[in-house]
Amino acid sequence: MKGLMMEQPLLVASLLMHAQRHHADQEIVSRRVEGDLHRYRFADLAARSRRMANALGGLGLRPGDRVGTLAWNGYRHMELYFAASGSGAVLHTINPRLHIDQLAYIVEHADDRVICFDLSFLPIVEALAARLSGPRLFVAMCDPDHMPAAIPPGMSMLCYEALIDANGDDYAWPLLDENTASSLCYTSGTTGNPKGVLYSHRSTVLHTYAAALPDALNCSARDSILPVVPMFHVNAWGLPYIACMVGAKLVFPGPALDGKSLHELIEAEQVTLSAGVPTVWQGLLAHVAEHGRRFTSMRRTVIGGAPCPTAMAVQFQEHHQVEVLHAWGMTELSPVGTVCSFKSHQLSMPADARYALQAKQGRAVFGIDMKIVDAEGKDLPWDGEAAGNLLVRGPWVSRTYFRDEASEPLEDGWFPTGDVARIDRDGFMQITDRSKDVIKSGGEWISSIDLENVACLHPGVASAACIAARHPKWDERPLLLIVRKPGSGLAKDELLAFFDSKVAKWWKPDDVVFVDGFPLGATGKVLKNKLREQFQHHYAPAMTQASPPG
Ligand code: AMP
């Protein structure tokens, strides 16, 4: 028997319509590329998103067409979130930190019809335009006075504000099937080209419900939320959608992510909740400590994308009374999977036990099933001891990749995360290692295999292994281990210079260690875990670990 409930599709535009109706006066404050602070209200966001939806239609965009963005966190980017997805197109947020070769690959692969960009990315856009096979339409996210003086010949560029002005706000969001694609985000794999994760309206709205809950990111209409995590990295962990759902104030930092700028913004806009990777918080905490500053409004901070060091949790909680929410997720998970929030019996634990718990990535939010398995795929117990491959499934977990639908990443219906973890009796998951061969530096991926391939092109190199070594600022940095060809006098500087222009600058290994050979497994594979054990402290011999109080 079928239930008798209405069949209302879960749509991204409905989040905006809700915010417009119930939180019209709630503010959105953005630090702009132009340097000033811009502020307006949800009612303005809704009206301008409708204008932009009309503009996109006027540019000939059809349902399913991709709209690329190369932009910081700001109100125009948020308008595109709704104008593109809400009108049936697909919002494609592009990570500007990638190497130009990868950017060109991504734009071609996604087949972006229009690319909207912040002015600070003009040099990237120009380099990109020169590499693309066909002409694309670029939209500079500025007003006519700030349009670039000279546009390279053959490049079509429009002005965002001129498009807004030229279009009315009379627009009815279409009633789409909830399984329609809404947005697209590429993630760098272990090797080869980045892969596109294609979210749907349904997955996005369900993720929004779950991520907003009190034991997840804990958001409400009384919050002023600062997403430092970029809107080009898994939709800023869903916070723009969450703010619409709950009616929270949004504060966007634009390009100013240094400690001083963030602290000023947090205080000026009375931010209560912020979210970002540990590297960003290092900068903020260092600034605050150096200048004797306090947080007068901030109550919670979400730390994810990389493990939250205990020293950081101690500093936030003991010195600033800012509660830390350690979270784990992935691009393929929209991204929230687990959040480390206490159960009531854990509140009375001694401080050191609570800090040990907070070092874990936390328990699954409703909607995410997880399990750990051994090398044969057999379930491992949740005893806090056994560690195995972490698998997940749920309505906001990707099944396959965009334009690579034949690839079958799932194992028996479960998505293999590439993380190795243990799970305790209370369901708290802790990542202990990574089976995927990648390095996460400042929240962004570096492929070890790509770096090894470059190294092996050098005539003096016999074999190469690149590993993630712990780093006090970037969390991890690449360390290159090299076996030289017999008789080769290859020196470190020469090999490092060999990487110039072959990879993005921040991908270049920080150091090279010459070794006689690598530990090998039974099948002849280099045992990276052994190398990681041996060299993980190469950049940070004594990681500053403040001991928890008590
Ligand atoms: P991304 O798809 O770029 O968001 O990266 C997801 C990956 O980042 C995960 O599979 C983990 O390897 C890593 N990651 C994310 N959050 C955490 C965390 N809190 N602790 C440790 N690793 C994390």
Side-chain angles (χ1 to χ4, degrees):
M1 195 194 304
K2 238 182 144 187
L4 295 175
M5 294 292 115
M6 293 184 189
E7 287 189 13
Q8 189 125 350
L10 301 171
L11 298 177
V12 164
S14 59
L15 293 166
L16 181 63
M17 288 193 279
H18 175 83
Q20 178 196 351
R21 169 145 296 202
H22 299 277
H23 305 282
D25 290 335
Q26 184 59 285
E27 274 189 308
I28 299 175
V29 181
S30 312
R31 201 193 289 275
R32 301 202 291 186
V33 172
E34 293 92 317
D36 58 351
L37 262 195
H38 171 275
R39 65 179 70 234
Y40 71 2
R41 298 177 187 280
F42 273 118
D44 305 308
L45 167 73
R48 283 172 53 98
S49 301
R50 293 196 303 272
R51 283 172 184 265
M52 193 33 77
N54 274 328
L56 293 177
L59 296 177
L61 255 83
R62 293 176 317 247
D65 280 351
R66 269 73 65 201
V67 177
T69 60
L70 270 165
W72 300 107
N73 292 6
Y75 67 104
R76 292 186 183 117
H77 205 172
M78 177 116 173
E79 290 161 10
L80 286 163
Y81 266 46
F82 294 102
S85 307
S87 63
V90 175
L91 171 87
H92 172 205
T93 52
I94 307 171
N95 181 348
R97 300 206 176 103
L98 296 177
H99 188 264
I100 189 71
D101 290 346
Q102 283 189 321
L103 287 171
Y105 168 83
I106 286 176
V107 170
E108 294 275 8
H109 189 264
D111 195 14
D112 293 322
R113 288 293 141 102
V114 177
I115 297 171
C116 305
F117 67 97
D118 271 334
L119 282 181
S120 43
F121 299 126
L122 183 62
I124 295 182
V125 163
E126 287 177 349
L128 198 55
R131 279 165 189 254
L132 298 176
S133 57
R136 315 272 159 162
L137 188 54
F138 291 92
V139 176
M141 293 162 71
C142 62
D143 57 31
D145 291 345
H146 289 85
M147 280 298 279
I151 296 168
M155 193 173 168
S156 324
M157 195 183 293
L158 299 175
C159 170
Y160 187 93
E161 290 301 332
L163 283 173
I164 291 273
D165 287 344
N167 285 275
D169 67 3
D170 189 9
Y171 180 86
W173 299 107
L175 206 60
L176 307 165
D177 179 321
E178 65 179 13
N179 288 306
T180 306
S182 59
S183 63
L184 176 64
C185 183
Y186 280 72
T187 177
S188 298
T190 50
T191 182
N193 289 315
K195 294 177 283 192
V197 177
L198 189 62
Y199 310 104
S200 69
H201 284 261
R202 175 186 155 82
S203 70
T204 303
V205 174
L206 288 176
H207 175 267
T208 307
Y209 275 118
L213 284 170
D215 273 0
L217 306 189
N218 190 4
C219 303
S220 81
R222 296 164 297 288
D223 276 314
S224 169
I225 301 179
L226 173 78
V228 181
V229 51
M231 289 169 78
F232 57 75
H233 196 137
V234 218
N235 301 323
W237 297 347
L239 288 166
Y241 303 119
I242 293 175
C244 286
M245 180 177 273
V246 304
K249 173 177 172 179
L250 265 175
V251 182
F252 287 128
L257 305 179
D258 59 285
K260 179 172 183 290
S261 308
L262 288 177
H263 183 259
E264 281 170 7
L265 196 59
I266 287 168
E267 287 304 304
E269 300 306 325
Q270 290 291 284
V271 166
T272 57
L273 170 70
S274 57
V277 296
T279 301
V280 159
W281 300 139
Q282 294 253 359
L284 176 65
L285 287 171
H287 168 81
V288 165
E290 194 182 331
H291 299 276
R293 301 276 193 263
R294 312 291 311 161
F295 297 110
T296 59
S297 57
M298 198 154 81
R299 294 289 163 262
R300 303 180 307 290
T301 185
V302 185
I303 304 183
C308 169
T310 297
M312 185 172 282
V314 169
Q315 224 176 328
F316 267 122
Q317 296 181 162
E318 304 301 325
H319 298 229
H320 298 292
Q321 288 69 53
V322 174
E323 184 195 350
V324 163
L325 293 169
H326 187 194
W328 168 86
M330 295 181 73
T331 307
E332 286 92 335
L333 269 78
S334 305
V336 177
T338 64
V339 182
C340 193
S341 51
F342 293 126
K343 295 182 175 180
S344 49
H345 74 91
Q346 293 161 335
L347 289 171
S348 53
M349 291 192 319
D352 54 351
R354 268 188 289 119
Y355 279 104
L357 189 63
Q358 278 192 304
K360 300 184 179 185
Q361 279 70 13
R363 52 201 168 89
V365 295
F366 171 76
I368 293 293
D369 278 347
M370 63 181 180
K371 64 175 180 176
I372 42 175
V373 298
D374 65 14
E376 279 75 49
K378 224 168 79 252
D379 276 29
L380 291 170
W382 290 21
D383 58 6
E385 305 269 324
N389 295 320
L390 177 67
L391 306 181
V392 292
R393 67 178 180 195
W396 55 85
V397 178
S398 42
R399 176 163 57 77
T400 183
Y401 295 99
F402 181 53
R403 293 194 149 171
D404 190 17
E405 283 83 348
S407 69
E408 288 182 8
L410 301 194
E411 294 173 7
D412 250 352
W414 291 77
F415 179 80
T417 63
D419 289 318
V420 176
R422 44 181 177 235
I423 306 176
D424 69 19
R425 285 183 187 83
D426 277 317
F428 283 69
M429 182 274 285
Q430 181 163 30
I431 293 181
T432 57
D433 200 359
R434 203 183 278 151
S435 57
K436 49 194 172 193
D437 212 348
V438 275
I439 297 153
K440 204 166 198 194
S441 178
E444 303 288 345
W445 291 118
I446 297 174
S447 161
S448 352
I449 299 175
D450 284 357
L451 293 182
E452 288 160 10
N453 288 342
V454 171
C456 287
L457 292 175
H458 192 285
V461 170
S463 52
C466 191
I467 59 157
R470 310 287 310 160
H471 192 279
K473 177 167 180 198
W474 301 107
D475 188 43
E476 294 176 2
R477 287 296 300 155
L479 172 66
L480 194 57
L481 305 167
I482 294 290
V483 180
R484 279 183 284 219
K485 286 224 176 105
S488 160
L490 176 62
K492 186 190 292 187
D493 290 346
E494 181 192 343
L495 183 56
L496 288 177
F498 187 66
F499 280 83
D500 289 341
S501 81
K502 294 191 180 71
V503 295
K505 265 203 208 97
W506 63 277
W507 272 41
K508 197 167 147 177
D510 293 16
D511 200 10
V512 179
V513 175
F514 294 105
V515 293
D516 295 334
F518 296 129
L520 300 178
T523 56
K525 235 176 110 180
V526 174
L527 295 175
K528 288 267 179 99
N529 53 344
K530 288 262 177 304
L531 291 175
R532 278 200 296 269
E533 258 167 44
Q534 192 181 346
F535 291 102
Q536 63 172 316
H537 297 302
H538 186 79
Y539 297 132
M543 284 280 280
T544 34
Q545 283 288 342
S547 50

